[in-house]
Amino acid sequence: VPVFSAEDLRRAGRRLLAACGASEEESGLVADELVESSLRGLDSHGVVRLAMYADHVRDGTIKPGAPVTVVKESASTALVDCGGGFGIVGALKVVEIVAEKARASGLACATSVHLNHVGRLGSFPEKLTARGLFGLASTNSPRHGHFVSPWGGREGRLATNPLAWAAPTDGAPLVMDMSTSMIAEGKIRVLLQEGSPVPEGSILDADGSPTTDPGRFYGPPRGTILPFGSPRLGYKGFGLGLLVEILGSALSGVPLTPEGQPSGYGNGLFLMAIDPEAFGGRDLFRRLVSEFAAYVSTSAPAPGAGGVILPGALDAATRERRLREGIPVADETWRQIREAGRRAGIEL
Amino acid sequence: VPVFSAEDLRRAGRRLLAACGASEEESGLVADELVESSLRGLDSHGVVRLAMYADHVRDGTIKPGAPVTVVKESASTALVDCGGGFGIVGALKVVEIVAEKARASGLACATSVHLNHVGRLGSFPEKLTARGLFGLASTNSPRHGHFVSPWGGREGRLATNPLAWAAPTDGAPLVMDMSTSMIAEGKIRVLLQEGSPVPEGSILDADGSPTTDPGRFYGPPRGTILPFGSPRLGYKGFGLGLLVEILGSALSGVPLTPEGQPSGYGNGLFLMAIDPEAFGGRDLFRRLVSEFAAYVSTSAPAPGAGGVILPGALDAATRERRLREGIPVADETWRQIREAGRRAGIEL
């Protein structure tokens, strides 16, 4: 697998997006964010998305330069119309809005409409921690992404609906980013290509029977991904998935029933920030989170484990390594990026 | 097993708590709340707690009549000192505070200090739905309740840290209430008494080895409960448990390290309310949540399942049945309630 430096990938990404019609600022924000995900080993949300975004600009799904406007607001809330621009650009604007309101009011949240794919969800609450804030975020997806069956059902009714939070510490922030399903669809696709089985208890075939065969998931007819906690405790993952759905769509007033489904790719982002200054204080919060993380980490390791792994620690380790050794990019991914470049009239 | 009507249990609970020194209002709020949990089949949070609360009044852990005071506040935030009174009374006061602020500001949250055991967590966000609000809640617990091992560890570092949310619909609200561990400690105790095994993948013994023997969990030395999602995805439950810990303690400025641990029984409640009127509108929110719940429920049933089960639906069915048929109360539980009554000078 070819290996690239983060800087080379950033440059390629910026050039590609600019050639598609994005402004210099947009190209920079989007390319940097995708490369950051690749650095952390979250390849499904990394540079593999560059060609997809380029396609979406060409087919009109993504509208470069679209204005991000606050449709409705109070001192602590905002409903934000992201105008169908780059999802990452819209989400970063939501971060600014929420951070400013939280620093003024102690607490703030925003929801979005017309927001395209935002990439790595954890990135947005993480950015709030740089301002001493605690952040919580979720994103739902429109109906064509409804791979996940509800508890007791066998037909897709929810997306993998991720949930993320981040808290500042005296060192690196804690960043939790999880789907509310047993596995991400992107990972099943990788296993299909490899000819590997899916971990047991993760998916159903179209008849609702448990399977480990990724081919039986894709069908057609397509199967489903089980909610997180399945088989025994899947009601919990289902409940978390519904939470994400409600915050991402119903709150903004976006219908998601088959009849009222909005067209086009999109994420419904919910982002909340709490300023600990409104409670026990910003410095004390940072110190107590640090102390608690340290206390948790003093647990003796479970047999076979290397010790306690705090949220975000594995990603941070991968980031260190990839900064040193470079970022592996699959041949097919690089081929698609170059092809997207050629369609936009540049050679990468 | 003896069966009681809800009304008889309410009356007994009120009399017991009043005999222990609670005011008429406190006795009513606490007894009604516990009976409500028993009605829904959540017996571990129901009338079984009456004798425990009576004991806590006697040993000074619970201070009847303690004032609930707002220590620090803004238009959308409050840090509430519950003064060591009945946890349920304190939490219900927090509900009032958060509801009022959310109706005025669109969004509000509160955290608590000196709050005793709150009972069924889902009750508090559920009460917000009656005012058209969306609610999210969590509670952590002090160190002696740290039964849950962190991801990669084998020593208890977190409580079972529940998380709950509730949303209004055109019918009964959706109410999700889940622990962030594989099983509640109370359930392991029941299995120990029955001589039944614990479901596989739920607990470790003191050496960190997986076991299904509840006796090996209690030891001594004591084992641990695994975080929700274990073994493969336990990092998710661990991350959710940390979230609850951070919102329940660090935000309020309450240290939880072994050195700084506050003494006494207590829950750190975090409660947030969103007024959909600040976003897409209250009526539209209620309608969209209802429509989404209906859409999810149209999934064909999984093999062996009776169909999709929405959050709160099983509890509601149990409530219907127990209102008709009465509430079964274990002999031992009723014996403890009567004994607590006798110690307080009344015959139940």
Side-chain angles (χ1 to χ4, degrees):
Chain A
V1 179
V3 169
F4 296 81
S5 75
E7 198 38 48
D8 283 351
L9 286 178
R10 274 189 214 107
R11 199 174 308 118
R14 285 178 197 163
R15 282 186 62 214
L16 171 61
L17 296 170
C20 294
S23 71
E24 197 183 322
E25 193 196 353
E26 285 173 311
S27 309
L29 291 173
V30 175
D32 289 5
E33 189 71 21
L34 293 180
V35 172
E36 187 59 36
S37 295
S38 289
L39 270 174
R40 292 169 191 236
L42 306 164
D43 294 310
S44 60
H45 289 72
V47 294
V48 71
R49 301 286 178 166
L50 276 170
M52 179 182 109
Y53 289 176
D55 285 349
H56 283 176
V57 171
R58 276 197 318 149
D59 72 17
T61 306
I62 295 176
K63 295 164 194 68
V68 175
T69 49
V70 175
V71 178
K72 195 170 176 180
E73 68 179 321
S74 72
S76 57
T77 63
L79 173 57
V80 184
D81 189 332
C82 294
F86 285 98
I88 286 170
V89 173
L92 290 171
K93 197 68 183 282
V94 171
V95 169
E96 292 306 314
I97 293 166
V98 166
E100 202 172 299
K101 286 183 186 288
R103 290 284 296 216
S105 309
L107 172 70
C109 77
T111 63
S112 68
V113 294
H114 303 131
L115 177 65
N116 281 301
H117 185 256
V118 300
R120 179 173 75 93
L121 180 63
S123 173
F124 309 111
E126 181 173 357
K127 287 190 167 58
L128 294 169
T129 65
R131 278 165 260 201
L133 304 171
F134 171 86
L136 180 75
S138 64
T139 41
N140 74 325
S141 287
R143 201 168 166 236
H144 66 74
H146 285 189
F147 296 109
V148 181
S149 42
W151 179 241
R154 71 162 191 253
E155 292 181 295
R157 289 293 181 275
L158 291 159
T160 52
N161 286 4
L163 203 56
W165 63 261
T169 75
D170 292 331
L174 299 181
V175 185
M176 167 78 188
D177 192 344
M178 62 173 265
S179 73
T180 55
S181 60
M182 288 302 286
I183 190 168
E185 186 266 335
K187 285 192 193 158
I188 305 177
R189 193 167 288 282
V190 171
L191 295 170
L192 178 75
Q193 283 160 1
E194 291 177 2
S196 306
V198 178
E200 221 166 300
S202 304
I203 55 173
L204 303 178
D205 67 17
D207 299 327
S209 301
T211 179
T212 60
D213 177 355
R216 292 190 59 78
F217 168 75
Y218 284 107
R222 196 170 75 184
T224 58
I225 304 174
L226 285 164
F228 170 48
S230 295
R232 201 165 57 80
L233 304 176
Y235 65 90
K236 295 187 182 188
F238 175 46
L240 292 171
L242 279 173
L243 167 67
V244 172
E245 186 60 45
I246 288 170
L247 294 174
S249 277
L251 192 55
S252 300
V254 177
L256 258 173
T257 53
E259 302 76 31
Q261 179 63 33
S263 65
Y265 199 89
N267 280 166
L269 174 69
F270 172 85
L271 183 68
M272 178 180 79
I274 304 177
D275 187 347
E277 205 61 22
F279 296 91
R282 221 173 276 144
D283 291 341
L284 182 56
F285 180 68
R286 188 188 300 268
R287 182 160 69 74
L288 292 179
V289 173
S290 305
E291 284 179 8
F292 195 79
Y295 160 64
V296 165
S297 302
T298 60
S299 164
V308 174
I309 301 168
L310 290 170
L314 292 181
D315 298 357
T318 304
R319 188 176 194 281
E320 284 294 304
R321 197 179 65 244
R322 290 191 169 184
L323 275 175
R324 274 196 321 271
E325 300 173 5
I327 299 169
V329 177
D331 282 324
E332 174 60 14
T333 300
W334 184 239
R335 194 190 61 71
Q336 285 175 6
I337 291 171
R338 296 190 68 190
E339 209 150 88
R342 260 176 232 127
R343 280 195 296 264
I346 59 165
E347 200 62 42
L348 292 168
Chain B
V1 179
V3 169
F4 295 81
S5 75
E7 198 37 49
D8 283 350
L9 287 177
R10 274 189 213 106
R11 199 173 309 120
R14 285 178 198 164
R15 282 186 61 212
L16 171 61
L17 297 170
C20 293
S23 70
E24 197 184 322
E25 193 196 354
E26 285 174 312
S27 309
L29 291 173
V30 175
D32 290 5
E33 189 71 20
L34 293 179
V35 172
E36 188 57 37
S37 295
S38 289
L39 270 174
R40 292 170 191 236
L42 306 164
D43 294 310
S44 60
H45 289 72
V47 293
V48 72
R49 301 286 179 167
L50 276 170
M52 179 183 109
Y53 290 176
D55 285 350
H56 283 176
V57 172
R58 276 196 319 148
D59 72 15
T61 306
I62 294 177
K63 296 166 192 66
V68 175
T69 49
V70 175
V71 178
K72 195 169 176 180
E73 68 180 322
S74 72
S76 55
T77 62
L79 174 56
V80 183
D81 188 332
C82 294
F86 286 98
I88 286 171
V89 173
L92 290 172
K93 198 70 183 282
V94 171
V95 169
E96 292 306 314
I97 293 166
V98 166
E100 201 172 301
K101 286 183 186 289
R103 289 284 294 217
S105 308
L107 172 70
C109 77
T111 63
S112 68
V113 294
H114 303 132
L115 178 65
N116 281 302
H117 185 255
V118 300
R120 178 174 75 94
L121 180 63
S123 173
F124 309 111
E126 182 173 355
K127 287 191 167 57
L128 294 170
T129 65
R131 279 164 259 201
L133 304 171
F134 171 85
L136 180 75
S138 64
T139 40
N140 73 326
S141 287
R143 200 167 167 236
H144 65 76
H146 285 188
F147 296 109
V148 180
S149 42
W151 179 240
R154 70 161 190 253
E155 291 181 296
R157 288 294 182 273
L158 290 159
T160 54
N161 286 6
L163 203 56
W165 62 263
T169 75
D170 292 331
L174 298 180
V175 185
M176 168 77 188
D177 192 345
M178 61 174 266
S179 72
T180 55
S181 60
M182 288 302 285
I183 190 167
E185 186 267 335
K187 286 190 194 160
I188 306 176
R189 193 165 289 279
V190 170
L191 295 170
L192 178 74
Q193 282 160 2
E194 290 177 1
S196 306
V198 177
E200 220 166 302
S202 304
I203 55 173
L204 302 178
D205 67 17
D207 298 328
S209 301
T211 179
T212 59
D213 178 356
R216 292 190 59 77
F217 168 74
Y218 284 106
R222 197 169 74 184
T224 58
I225 304 174
L226 286 163
F228 171 47
S230 296
R232 200 165 56 80
L233 304 176
Y235 64 91
K236 295 187 182 189
F238 174 46
L240 293 172
L242 279 173
L243 167 66
V244 171
E245 186 59 44
I246 288 170
L247 294 175
S249 278
L251 191 54
S252 300
V254 176
L256 257 171
T257 51
E259 302 76 32
Q261 180 64 31
S263 65
Y265 199 87
N267 279 166
L269 174 69
F270 172 85
L271 183 67
M272 178 181 77
I274 304 177
D275 188 348
E277 205 61 22
F279 296 90
R282 223 173 275 146
D283 292 341
L284 182 57
F285 180 68
R286 189 188 298 270
R287 181 160 70 75
L288 293 179
V289 173
S290 305
E291 285 179 8
F292 195 78
Y295 159 65
V296 165
S297 301
T298 60
S299 164
V308 174
I309 300 168
L310 290 170
L314 292 181
D315 297 356
T318 303
R319 190 176 192 282
E320 285 293 305
R321 198 180 64 246
R322 291 192 167 183
L323 275 176
R324 272 196 324 271
E325 301 173 4
I327 300 170
V329 177
D331 281 324
E332 173 62 14
T333 300
W334 183 241
R335 193 189 64 70
Q336 285 175 6
I337 291 171
R338 295 191 69 189
E339 207 150 274
R342 259 176 233 128
R343 279 196 296 265
I346 59 166
E347 200 60 42
L348 290 168

